[in-house]
Amino acid sequence: MTAIDAPALLDREPELERFDALVDSLGQGEGDSIAIKGPPGIGKTSLLAALDGRARRAGVQVLHARGSELERSFAFGAVHQMLDARLRDESERDGLLAGAAALAEPVFAHHRSASVDEDGSYPVLHGLYWLVSNLAHESPVLLIVDDLQWVDEPSRRFVDFLRNRLNGMPVGVATAERDEEARPSGRRGGDSFLLVPRPLGADAVEEMIERAVGSEARPLAAACARASSGNPFLLVELLGEIGRGGVADLSEEDVERIAPESVRDFALERVAAIADGERVARAVAVLGDGASVDRVAALAELDVDRAGRVADELAVASILTVGRPLAFAHPIIRVAIHDATPRGLRSALHRHAAALAADGGDDARAIATHLLETDPAGDASAVARLVEVAAESVARGGPEPAVEMLRRALEEPPPARFVSLVNLDLGTQLAMLGDPSASDHLRTALAATDSDVDRVRISIALIDTLIHEGRTADALEVLTAARGSAPADEPELVGLLEARLMPLACSTASGRRLAGSQLAAVAVATEQDPDSASSATLAGVAFDAAVGEAADSERALGLARRALGDERLLRDALFVSGGVNALFLAGDFDGAEAVFRDLIGNAQARGRARDFAMHSGLRAWSRWLAGRLDGAEADALGSLDLAAESAWEMFFSLPTFVLASVAIERGDLDGAERVAETLEGRRDDADIGFSQLLHIASARMLAATGLHEQAIERLEPCRAFEAEWGPARGIRVVNAWRVPAAASLHALGRVEDALELAAEQLEAAEAFGAPRGIGEALRLGRLEPDPARAGNALSRAVDVLGGSGAELELAHAEVELGAFLRRDGSRSEARTVLEAGMDRAHRIGASAVATEAREELVLAGARPRRLARRGPDSLTASERRVARMAAGGMMNREIAQSLFVTLRTVEGHLSNAFRKLEIESRDELAGALEPEHAAGSQRPDAA
């Protein structure tokens, strides 16, 4: 691609200095972004041309795109403009699409692809980011996007996505956007340096006047500056009019009379003065810049030679550019011509243009773009075209253009047989975008179909949408109706319906009240005939067996293992979560770890950041319950980073609870408080089960600082949630608010109340049967006033937790038993138990417990070693995760792609790891990390 020819620039020294700084940064391997904003005609395109020239002279690869009103419906149209040429070269294509960049391939495919799924366009954005990164691996890259206001929404999303990740990568982004109200430049605007070109000063205006009409017009400089407001394009147009009329005897009042407010009228007058000028100008306005003379001639209903001659005359009049293909001299003129065309005529021209595009074998998207500009006419073929292009847009990761196409298809309107299909497609894409009108279109689709199978499929889409909107009652109503009409010979469909009872009945208290009885009926039917149940149904019933009224750990494990044996289930994030949650809540931490490894690996391979965030958050919870603190922290951080970036509210509570809880176990109460503050201002929904965990973590923080009254008060929402949920021993074990409540009541001297809660917790835990919950409840035996009962309970806790995999709970139990034995006078036995608890706590990074054990050992007469964390112990969870991946042979780019982070983030973690481990190369990593393997640490889970 050749460089843009840049005209001489006047009064643009600050902008040019900033361009030089950007090019210098790229040469040093650092990315940066510039956003140019201003009114039409202020010179944004000329500035981009100047930047282009500077970048190319410095050896930077420059990729161009320009927005167009007629191409806003092309999903990733601007991305195509920038990257198509590079990917057409087969010798380069495979290398550029290597690694995570392969996820971008659907954008450039010439056929529909199913690789973009419910995770929306994130996989494609992730792939495009790494595609640009692969390009920058050769030499620095600069993306220039002009007329950003007209760029298609998916391409704009990519530009924003890239701007957020330029740190440490030799990639620059420069955009120009029409903005009438842009504020002064020279500051950061979001992730870009904002440039707002100023109006031309007096000296610049004089110089332009002298260039255009000669020195005799210099006395008119002040009038021209006022009339044009210093806008370069308007000034040029004004000077053109002055030049055509002559300067002689022209007064300042004359200049005011032909002020640039009339530029639009002047352009239309110049067009009208040329025979057939309006026909050709309107045809180019409808077809867009880049139109061929023969296509313009066909649309204008002229012969080709005549159309070419008229186009040349329009170029002399500064309406079109000189040469072929045809294009307007400035977007302002194109808009003026297009908008001045009467609506009916404009619609007819666009419909004619669509027909010409079809006859010429053009891409379906080019045809549909014209159809968007036509008036509805009940044309079934137009509906078919629009639906086809919408599907292609979705396959490329562009839901917004698809929505525009489908809405226009409904206006046509479609034939009756297509009403359901179009509304289903539209509702599905609106749901992906979080648009509240999605459910309305899905309901219309449901009402318009007479197929029982389609009715169930549409109902499933509607139920999912209503679940994400939090409309549990509405979702259950749709589900109940669908179950009543589901075809008996479609067991898979029935299973998918029944599986939706799980998120309805097991995530909120209100949903439990509404859907609990239906889920219970499904559970009974599953027990009676398990072979007929789908894997999705089994997974949902397994989760209910972990949190429901008749919760039973063995039953939950059996159902979950059976469901998860179906590999198809692992591809469905919503339903597999019920099964894997049942595994770790019932105590099979290793089994859950294996499933999560597959799920997260699948999410990484497919670029599904939403699944990665969800499964990382759930694995963080599982690892927390198992006491694998470093791994839990690393997962929670990874989940929260993506949730914060994408505003996925449903993923905030769980990882935040884990991070706060890990900080408490490390004795870092300030850190725990900072984590809790990240949720300030977010919705605290007392109806949601995960929210109760946050109350529990907050109460533990308060209790640790001696604020026991406040801690008990903080736990009241948990009591209320449990009452709303209904009698269920499973939820008592999962949301074990009685444990911190009993401890705080005891600290306040309310011993009987504390023991009552402890007894309730133990009863529920023993009925459920999972060792961790039983051990946690037994640890409350330390509150017993009777020493024999207290000692017996703590001994039982150590026995139950031994071999359970719940290392943190076991460390707590060992230290509490050791402290009891020390107070009871059994110092030798106390030292043995305390040393075991201290070693275990230190190994898993539970600093607070380890410190408590060390203090108890001193009181018991021992001389324990210091507990400072050195070497591998000193690494943060994120540093350890990255170091282990690097030690395993992964390159920095592969690590960054797998964790959905930037190269700079990986490089930073590795640099810190090298310093803390006192090594200088990757080759030394495995040996430096090996001590943690020798100690039998749980920390490998941090990977």
Side-chain angles (χ1 to χ4, degrees), residues 769-856:
R772 184 194 176 280
I774 296 172
E776 182 182 41
L778 283 169
R779 285 202 300 111
L780 292 175
R782 69 186 183 280
L783 309 179
E784 283 280 357
D786 180 350
R789 293 174 63 123
N792 180 59
L794 291 172
S795 294
R796 284 185 60 206
V798 171
D799 290 341
V800 168
L801 290 167
S804 68
E807 292 291 287
L808 178 60
E809 281 301 316
L810 179 54
H812 273 293
E814 288 171 330
V815 174
E816 287 164 2
L817 176 59
F820 170 82
L821 292 170
R822 194 267 306 167
R823 292 191 300 270
D824 197 44
S826 303
R827 299 179 69 185
S828 176
E829 186 180 357
R831 286 195 294 269
T832 301
V833 179
L834 286 168
E835 285 174 355
M838 184 181 72
D839 288 345
R840 192 181 311 279
H842 182 62
R843 192 167 65 244
I844 63 175
S847 309
V849 186
T851 300
E852 181 185 352
R854 189 175 189 280
E855 292 169 353
E856 284 289 340

Side-chain angles (χ1 to χ4, degrees), residues 650-810:
M650 63 181 293
F651 300 144
F652 273 95
S653 297
L654 193 53
T656 300
F657 157 75
V658 170
L659 289 177
S661 298
V662 168
I664 293 169
E665 292 298 337
R666 290 177 176 159
D668 182 10
L669 297 183
D670 290 340
E673 185 62 34
R674 286 194 297 272
V675 170
E677 286 173 357
T678 63
L679 286 181
E680 286 297 323
R682 294 194 179 278
R683 185 167 60 103
D684 178 18
D685 197 332
D687 190 42
I688 297 176
F690 284 151
S691 295
Q692 313 319 306
L693 296 173
L694 290 170
H695 295 308
I696 293 170
S698 180
R700 291 185 65 208
M701 281 189 286
L702 291 167
T705 56
L707 300 174
H708 294 288
E709 289 283 5
Q710 292 92 324
I712 293 169
E713 182 180 348
R714 189 63 56 88
L715 291 166
E716 278 305 307
C718 299
R719 186 193 296 271
F721 174 84
E722 190 177 289
E724 286 293 302
W725 182 273
R729 61 193 182 215
I731 206 67
R732 288 191 187 184
V733 180
V734 174
N735 290 338
W737 63 269
R738 287 173 176 78
V739 175
S744 286
L745 286 169
H746 188 273
L748 293 170
R750 297 168 58 183
V751 178
E752 289 186 6
D753 291 340
L755 294 178
E756 181 181 349
L757 288 182
E760 291 176 0
Q761 188 67 24
L762 180 58
E763 178 186 13
E766 289 181 328
F768 181 49
R772 184 194 176 280
I774 296 172
E776 182 182 41
L778 283 169
R779 285 202 300 111
L780 292 175
R782 69 186 183 280
L783 309 179
E784 283 280 357
D786 180 350
R789 293 174 63 123
N792 180 59
L794 291 172
S795 294
R796 284 185 60 206
V798 171
D799 290 341
V800 168
L801 290 167
S804 68
E807 292 291 287
L808 178 60
E809 281 301 316
L810 179 54

Side-chain angles (χ1 to χ4, degrees), residues 318-542:
S318 298
I319 300 300
L320 300 179
T321 58
V322 176
R324 303 291 187 268
L326 303 181
F328 282 97
H330 196 281
I332 291 177
I333 299 177
R334 186 259 164 195
V335 171
I337 301 295
H338 190 267
D339 290 353
T341 304
R343 168 66 190 237
L345 175 57
R346 194 164 67 231
S347 172
L349 287 171
H350 276 291
R351 194 172 291 279
H352 187 188
L356 291 172
D359 292 342
D362 288 7
D363 188 292
R365 291 178 297 168
I367 301 169
T369 295
H370 289 297
L371 293 175
L372 287 173
E373 300 294 328
T374 63
D375 292 330
D379 184 349
S381 64
V383 172
R385 291 281 190 189
L386 291 164
V387 171
E388 176 189 358
V389 174
E392 290 180 359
S393 179
V394 171
R396 289 175 166 83
E400 294 92 347
V403 165
E404 185 179 13
M405 295 286 176
L406 293 167
R407 280 181 166 152
R408 177 61 186 82
L410 286 179
E411 292 173 359
E412 191 64 14
R417 67 183 184 280
F418 289 146
V419 169
S420 180
L421 172 64
V422 177
N423 275 284
L424 172 60
D425 288 350
L426 178 55
T428 301
Q429 297 312 308
L430 289 170
M432 185 179 291
L433 295 171
D435 190 301
S437 67
S439 56
D440 294 334
H441 287 284
L442 291 172
R443 287 187 185 278
T444 300
L446 188 61
T449 186
D450 55 5
S451 163
D452 288 342
V453 171
D454 288 345
R455 187 173 294 111
V456 173
R457 295 188 188 282
I458 297 168
S459 295
I460 288 172
L462 178 55
I463 292 164
D464 290 347
T465 300
L466 294 170
I467 288 174
H468 284 110
E469 291 177 358
R471 296 165 61 182
T472 304
D474 291 342
L476 183 62
E477 180 182 351
V478 175
L479 189 149
T480 303
R483 287 183 71 203
S485 61
D489 58 348
E490 293 284 347
E492 287 295 324
L493 275 181
V494 174
L496 289 173
L497 272 175
E498 291 179 341
R500 277 152 176 82
L501 283 168
M502 187 274 288
L504 285 172
C506 298
S507 57
T508 64
S510 60
R512 188 74 185 177
R513 290 196 310 274
L514 293 168
S517 59
Q518 288 196 41
L519 184 57
V522 171
V524 170
T526 300
E527 291 286 347
Q528 292 174 348
D529 187 10
D531 292 335
S532 67
S534 69
S535 297
T537 299
L538 288 171
V541 173

Side-chain angles (χ1 to χ4, degrees), residues 8 32 51 126 152 169 176 179 189 192 194 209 299 323 337 374 399 484 534 566 587 615 658 734 835 876 891:
D32 203 356
L51 174 58
H126 185 60
D152 64 281
M169 186 168 70
D179 187 341
S192 299
L194 179 62
I209 289 175
L299 186 59
I337 301 295
T374 63
S534 69
D566 184 350
H615 293 316
V658 170
V734 174
E835 285 174 355
T876 67
M891 303 305 293

Side-chain angles (χ1 to χ4, degrees), residues 585-644:
L585 291 176
D588 186 0
F589 302 116
D590 289 340
E593 192 74 25
V595 176
F596 277 127
R597 190 177 302 117
D598 289 341
L599 292 173
I600 291 175
N602 182 54
Q604 290 170 327
R606 299 175 64 185
R608 296 173 63 172
R610 187 183 297 251
D611 286 357
F612 181 87
M614 181 173 74
H615 293 316
S616 293
L618 289 172
R619 186 169 69 174
W621 189 20
S622 175
R623 288 175 165 180
W624 156 252
L625 293 173
R628 302 168 181 178
L629 302 190
D630 285 334
E633 181 187 34
D635 276 332
L637 287 170
S639 178
L640 265 184
D641 284 347
L642 287 170

